[in-house]
Short mmCIF file of all heavy atoms in Angstrom, two decimals:
data_model
loop_
_atom_site.label_atom_id
_atom_site.label_comp_id
_atom_site.label_asym_id
_atom_site.label_seq_id
_atom_site.Cartn_x
_atom_site.Cartn_y
_atom_site.Cartn_z
N GLN A 600 188.11 -5.17 114.65
CA GLN A 600 188.68 -5.31 116.00
C GLN A 600 189.67 -6.37 116.14
O GLN A 600 190.37 -6.45 117.15
CB GLN A 600 187.43 -5.52 116.96
CG GLN A 600 186.36 -4.48 117.00
CD GLN A 600 186.82 -3.21 117.57
OE1 GLN A 600 187.29 -3.08 118.85
NE2 GLN A 600 186.73 -1.96 116.76
N ASN A 601 189.55 -7.38 115.23
CA ASN A 601 190.49 -8.50 115.38
C ASN A 601 191.90 -8.22 114.99
O ASN A 601 192.13 -7.40 113.94
CB ASN A 601 189.98 -9.67 114.64
CG ASN A 601 188.69 -10.21 115.12
OD1 ASN A 601 187.61 -10.22 114.34
ND2 ASN A 601 188.60 -10.54 116.36
N THR A 602 192.88 -8.88 115.53
CA THR A 602 194.28 -8.69 115.22
C THR A 602 194.96 -9.96 114.82
O THR A 602 194.45 -10.92 114.94
CB THR A 602 194.90 -8.05 116.55
OG1 THR A 602 195.04 -9.10 117.48
CG2 THR A 602 194.38 -6.83 116.96
N GLU A 603 196.16 -9.69 114.39
CA GLU A 603 196.93 -10.90 113.93
C GLU A 603 197.30 -11.83 115.22
O GLU A 603 197.47 -12.94 115.16
CB GLU A 603 198.32 -10.62 113.40
CG GLU A 603 199.09 -11.77 112.67
CD GLU A 603 200.07 -11.36 111.73
OE1 GLU A 603 200.02 -10.23 110.94
OE2 GLU A 603 201.25 -11.89 111.66
N GLU A 604 197.40 -11.06 116.45
CA GLU A 604 197.54 -11.81 117.67
C GLU A 604 196.42 -12.66 118.00
O GLU A 604 196.62 -13.84 118.60
CB GLU A 604 197.84 -10.79 118.81
CG GLU A 604 199.26 -10.00 118.81
CD GLU A 604 199.31 -9.03 117.71
OE1 GLU A 604 198.24 -8.47 117.17
OE2 GLU A 604 200.39 -8.69 117.22
N ASP A 605 195.15 -12.12 117.71
CA ASP A 605 193.98 -13.03 117.99
C ASP A 605 194.07 -14.19 117.06
O ASP A 605 193.84 -15.44 117.54
CB ASP A 605 192.85 -12.33 117.47
CG ASP A 605 192.48 -11.06 118.37
OD1 ASP A 605 192.99 -11.06 119.58
OD2 ASP A 605 191.62 -10.14 117.98
N VAL A 606 194.49 -14.11 115.75
CA VAL A 606 194.47 -15.23 114.78
C VAL A 606 195.73 -16.24 115.38
O VAL A 606 195.40 -17.41 115.40
CB VAL A 606 194.82 -14.74 113.51
CG1 VAL A 606 194.96 -15.97 112.60
CG2 VAL A 606 193.62 -13.96 113.03
N ASP A 607 196.85 -15.65 115.82
CA ASP A 607 197.91 -16.55 116.16
C ASP A 607 197.42 -17.33 117.47
O ASP A 607 197.88 -18.55 117.53
CB ASP A 607 199.19 -15.79 116.61
CG ASP A 607 199.83 -15.30 115.37
OD1 ASP A 607 199.72 -15.95 114.26
OD2 ASP A 607 200.59 -14.27 115.54
N TYR A 608 196.58 -16.64 118.48
CA TYR A 608 196.21 -17.35 119.58
C TYR A 608 195.22 -18.57 119.23
O TYR A 608 195.45 -19.59 119.77
CB TYR A 608 195.52 -16.47 120.49
CG TYR A 608 194.89 -17.12 121.72
CD1 TYR A 608 195.58 -17.73 122.74
CD2 TYR A 608 193.48 -17.26 121.64
CE1 TYR A 608 194.94 -18.33 123.83
CE2 TYR A 608 192.77 -17.81 122.82
CZ TYR A 608 193.55 -18.46 123.81
OH TYR A 608 192.94 -19.15 124.88
N ILE A 609 194.46 -18.31 118.28
CA ILE A 609 193.38 -19.27 117.78
C ILE A 609 194.14 -20.46 117.25
O ILE A 609 193.87 -21.61 117.51
CB ILE A 609 192.21 -18.78 116.83
CG1 ILE A 609 191.56 -17.70 117.47
CG2 ILE A 609 191.36 -19.78 116.29
CD1 ILE A 609 190.71 -16.90 116.51
N LEU A 610 195.15 -20.11 116.37
CA LEU A 610 195.95 -21.13 115.73
C LEU A 610 196.87 -21.90 116.78
O LEU A 610 197.33 -23.07 116.42
CB LEU A 610 196.90 -20.49 114.68
CG LEU A 610 196.07 -20.08 113.48
CD1 LEU A 610 196.81 -19.08 112.61
CD2 LEU A 610 195.55 -21.21 112.58
N GLU A 611 197.08 -21.33 117.90
CA GLU A 611 197.73 -21.99 118.97
C GLU A 611 196.94 -23.16 119.60
O GLU A 611 197.33 -24.28 119.90
CB GLU A 611 198.37 -21.11 120.08
CG GLU A 611 199.40 -20.52 119.84
CD GLU A 611 199.74 -19.47 120.90
OE1 GLU A 611 199.42 -19.76 122.15
OE2 GLU A 611 200.41 -18.28 120.72
N VAL A 612 195.66 -22.90 119.86
CA VAL A 612 194.79 -23.70 120.63
C VAL A 612 193.94 -24.64 119.64
O VAL A 612 193.74 -25.89 120.03
CB VAL A 612 193.78 -23.09 121.49
CG1 VAL A 612 194.49 -22.18 122.48
CG2 VAL A 612 192.80 -22.09 120.70
N LEU A 613 193.62 -24.26 118.43
CA LEU A 613 192.74 -25.06 117.54
C LEU A 613 193.30 -26.44 117.14
O LEU A 613 192.62 -27.36 117.30
CB LEU A 613 192.54 -24.21 116.25
CG LEU A 613 191.52 -24.92 115.21
CD1 LEU A 613 190.18 -25.20 115.76
CD2 LEU A 613 191.36 -24.04 114.03
N PRO A 614 194.75 -26.61 116.76
CA PRO A 614 195.15 -28.02 116.48
C PRO A 614 195.05 -28.91 117.60
O PRO A 614 194.55 -30.06 117.31
CB PRO A 614 196.61 -27.70 116.12
CG PRO A 614 196.64 -26.27 115.69
CD PRO A 614 195.68 -25.65 116.49
N GLY A 615 195.37 -28.39 118.82
CA GLY A 615 195.07 -29.39 119.94
C GLY A 615 193.62 -29.71 120.25
O GLY A 615 193.44 -30.81 120.57
N ILE A 616 192.85 -28.92 120.01
CA ILE A 616 191.36 -29.18 120.23
C ILE A 616 190.99 -30.22 119.29
O ILE A 616 190.15 -31.17 119.54
CB ILE A 616 190.48 -27.94 120.13
CG1 ILE A 616 190.74 -26.99 121.30
CG2 ILE A 616 188.99 -28.17 120.01
CD1 ILE A 616 190.07 -25.62 121.23
N VAL A 617 191.28 -30.01 117.95
CA VAL A 617 190.91 -30.98 116.92
C VAL A 617 191.53 -32.33 117.28
O VAL A 617 190.82 -33.36 117.12
CB VAL A 617 191.42 -30.36 115.56
CG1 VAL A 617 191.16 -31.48 114.39
CG2 VAL A 617 190.62 -29.12 115.09
N GLU A 618 192.81 -32.30 117.54
CA GLU A 618 193.44 -33.57 117.97
C GLU A 618 192.75 -34.35 119.11
O GLU A 618 192.56 -35.65 119.07
CB GLU A 618 194.89 -33.33 118.26
CG GLU A 618 195.51 -34.62 118.45
CD GLU A 618 197.18 -34.33 118.84
OE1 GLU A 618 197.60 -33.31 118.65
OE2 GLU A 618 197.86 -35.34 119.03
N ARG A 619 192.33 -33.61 120.11
CA ARG A 619 191.64 -34.02 121.31
C ARG A 619 190.26 -34.69 120.85
O ARG A 619 190.01 -35.84 121.23
CB ARG A 619 191.41 -33.07 122.33
CG ARG A 619 190.72 -33.53 123.47
CD ARG A 619 190.47 -32.44 124.53
NE ARG A 619 189.53 -32.60 125.58
CZ ARG A 619 189.02 -31.82 126.42
NH1 ARG A 619 189.46 -30.57 126.36
NH2 ARG A 619 188.22 -32.21 127.36
N LEU A 620 189.46 -34.03 119.96
CA LEU A 620 188.23 -34.51 119.53
C LEU A 620 188.35 -35.75 118.69
O LEU A 620 187.56 -36.71 118.78
CB LEU A 620 187.43 -33.32 118.87
CG LEU A 620 186.98 -32.22 119.79
CD1 LEU A 620 186.38 -31.13 119.01
CD2 LEU A 620 186.04 -32.80 120.79
N ARG A 621 189.45 -35.69 117.82
CA ARG A 621 189.53 -36.77 116.92
C ARG A 621 190.04 -38.01 117.66
O ARG A 621 189.64 -39.17 117.24
CB ARG A 621 190.64 -36.42 115.80
CG ARG A 621 190.01 -35.62 114.78
CD ARG A 621 191.06 -35.17 113.69
NE ARG A 621 190.49 -34.41 112.66
CZ ARG A 621 191.23 -33.83 111.66
NH1 ARG A 621 192.57 -33.75 111.75
NH2 ARG A 621 190.55 -33.23 110.66
N SER A 622 190.71 -37.87 118.84
CA SER A 622 191.11 -39.01 119.52
C SER A 622 190.07 -39.78 120.17
O SER A 622 190.06 -40.98 120.51
CB SER A 622 192.10 -38.56 120.58
OG SER A 622 191.44 -37.89 121.67
N MET A 623 188.84 -39.15 120.20
CA MET A 623 187.69 -39.91 120.84
C MET A 623 186.88 -40.59 119.56
O MET A 623 185.92 -41.18 119.91
CB MET A 623 186.72 -38.81 121.41
CG MET A 623 187.32 -37.96 122.43
SD MET A 623 186.21 -36.64 123.03
CE MET A 623 187.32 -35.72 124.08
N SER A 624 187.18 -40.49 118.35
CA SER A 624 186.52 -40.96 117.16
C SER A 624 187.00 -42.37 116.99
O SER A 624 188.26 -42.50 116.72
CB SER A 624 186.71 -40.06 116.07
OG SER A 624 186.27 -40.76 115.00
N PRO A 625 186.13 -43.47 116.99
CA PRO A 625 186.55 -44.71 116.61
C PRO A 625 187.12 -44.79 115.19
O PRO A 625 188.09 -45.46 114.90
CB PRO A 625 185.23 -45.56 116.69
CG PRO A 625 184.45 -44.81 117.75
CD PRO A 625 184.84 -43.35 117.38
N LEU A 626 186.57 -43.93 114.16
CA LEU A 626 187.05 -43.97 112.95
C LEU A 626 188.37 -43.41 112.70
O LEU A 626 189.16 -43.89 111.91
CB LEU A 626 186.05 -43.08 112.03
CG LEU A 626 186.25 -43.02 110.56
CD1 LEU A 626 186.29 -44.45 109.93
CD2 LEU A 626 185.15 -42.33 109.86
N TRP A 627 188.69 -42.33 113.48
CA TRP A 627 190.00 -41.79 113.51
C TRP A 627 191.11 -42.77 113.94
O TRP A 627 192.18 -42.82 113.36
CB TRP A 627 190.09 -40.51 114.41
CG TRP A 627 191.35 -39.85 114.40
CD1 TRP A 627 192.25 -39.70 115.43
CD2 TRP A 627 191.87 -39.14 113.30
NE1 TRP A 627 193.31 -38.97 115.26
CE2 TRP A 627 193.29 -38.60 113.80
CE3 TRP A 627 191.64 -39.05 112.11
CZ2 TRP A 627 194.20 -37.93 113.09
CZ3 TRP A 627 192.54 -38.28 111.26
CH2 TRP A 627 193.68 -37.84 111.84
N GLU A 628 190.76 -43.61 114.96
CA GLU A 628 191.64 -44.62 115.38
C GLU A 628 191.91 -45.61 114.24
O GLU A 628 193.08 -46.06 113.98
CB GLU A 628 191.06 -45.38 116.53
CG GLU A 628 190.99 -44.65 117.94
CD GLU A 628 190.38 -45.50 118.96
OE1 GLU A 628 190.22 -46.64 118.80
OE2 GLU A 628 190.06 -44.81 120.08
N LYS A 629 190.89 -45.93 113.50
CA LYS A 629 191.01 -46.87 112.33
C LYS A 629 191.99 -46.23 111.34
O LYS A 629 192.77 -47.03 110.67
CB LYS A 629 189.69 -47.31 111.72
CG LYS A 629 188.98 -48.25 112.61
CD LYS A 629 187.67 -48.65 111.97
CE LYS A 629 186.91 -49.60 112.86
NZ LYS A 629 185.56 -49.97 112.43
N ILE A 630 191.87 -44.93 111.14
CA ILE A 630 192.61 -44.19 110.13
C ILE A 630 194.16 -44.31 110.52
O ILE A 630 194.94 -44.55 109.65
CB ILE A 630 192.17 -42.77 109.87
CG1 ILE A 630 190.72 -42.65 109.39
CG2 ILE A 630 193.13 -41.88 109.21
CD1 ILE A 630 190.63 -42.70 107.80
N LEU A 631 194.35 -44.00 111.82
CA LEU A 631 195.72 -43.95 112.25
C LEU A 631 196.32 -45.41 112.15
O LEU A 631 197.56 -45.55 111.92
CB LEU A 631 195.74 -43.57 113.68
CG LEU A 631 195.36 -42.08 113.93
CD1 LEU A 631 195.46 -41.76 115.47
CD2 LEU A 631 196.42 -41.18 113.10
N ALA A 632 195.54 -46.53 112.45
CA ALA A 632 195.97 -47.78 112.22
C ALA A 632 196.10 -48.32 110.82
O ALA A 632 196.49 -49.47 110.71
CB ALA A 632 195.12 -48.64 113.13
N GLY A 633 195.60 -47.55 109.99
CA GLY A 633 195.73 -47.89 108.43
C GLY A 633 194.58 -48.90 108.11
O GLY A 633 194.81 -49.69 107.08
N GLN A 634 193.74 -49.10 109.04
CA GLN A 634 192.57 -50.19 108.74
C GLN A 634 191.58 -49.64 107.82
O GLN A 634 190.77 -50.44 107.25
CB GLN A 634 192.02 -50.65 110.00
CG GLN A 634 192.92 -51.28 110.98
CD GLN A 634 192.30 -51.55 112.41
OE1 GLN A 634 191.04 -51.40 112.63
NE2 GLN A 634 193.17 -51.79 113.36
N THR A 635 191.43 -48.36 107.64
CA THR A 635 190.45 -47.79 106.67
C THR A 635 191.09 -46.61 106.02
O THR A 635 192.01 -45.97 106.45
CB THR A 635 189.15 -47.51 107.36
OG1 THR A 635 188.24 -47.12 106.36
CG2 THR A 635 189.34 -46.27 108.29
N SER A 636 190.58 -46.15 104.88
CA SER A 636 191.22 -45.03 104.15
C SER A 636 190.42 -43.77 104.55
O SER A 636 189.22 -43.79 104.98
CB SER A 636 191.09 -45.26 102.69
OG SER A 636 189.74 -45.08 102.25
N TYR A 637 191.05 -42.59 104.33
CA TYR A 637 190.52 -41.31 104.64
C TYR A 637 189.17 -41.05 103.83
O TYR A 637 188.23 -40.70 104.23
CB TYR A 637 191.63 -40.17 104.25
CG TYR A 637 190.93 -38.78 104.17
CD1 TYR A 637 190.21 -38.20 105.21
CD2 TYR A 637 191.09 -38.08 103.11
CE1 TYR A 637 189.77 -36.91 105.11
CE2 TYR A 637 190.62 -36.72 102.98
CZ TYR A 637 189.98 -36.26 103.97
OH TYR A 637 189.48 -35.08 103.88
N GLU A 638 189.24 -41.57 102.51
CA GLU A 638 188.07 -41.33 101.67
C GLU A 638 187.06 -42.40 101.94
O GLU A 638 185.94 -42.16 101.87
CB GLU A 638 188.38 -41.48 100.18
CG GLU A 638 189.30 -40.45 99.77
CD GLU A 638 188.86 -39.06 99.85
OE1 GLU A 638 187.65 -38.85 99.76
OE2 GLU A 638 189.71 -38.05 100.06
#
């Protein structure tokens, strides 16, 4: 039942949701600031 349009819609909203949730993470802030490594 799923279409390429369905997948495109999810890919429109998913990056923003991930970015929003990561912005709430103290660890993510340290990653962006270069204070700790990804690993």
Side-chain angles (χ1 to χ4, degrees):
Q600 301 290 305
N601 296 123
T602 64
E603 192 167 324
E604 288 74 22
D605 291 342
V606 173
D607 285 335
Y608 172 72
I609 297 166
L610 290 164
E611 278 179 32
V612 301
L613 182 60
I616 291 172
V617 171
E618 186 177 354
R619 176 182 171 187
L620 292 173
R621 283 177 174 167
S622 70
M623 302 176 190
S624 166
L626 183 57
W627 181 244
E628 290 179 14
K629 290 181 180 180
I630 294 286
L631 293 178
Q634 296 173 10
T635 187
S636 68
Y637 165 57
E638 295 300 331

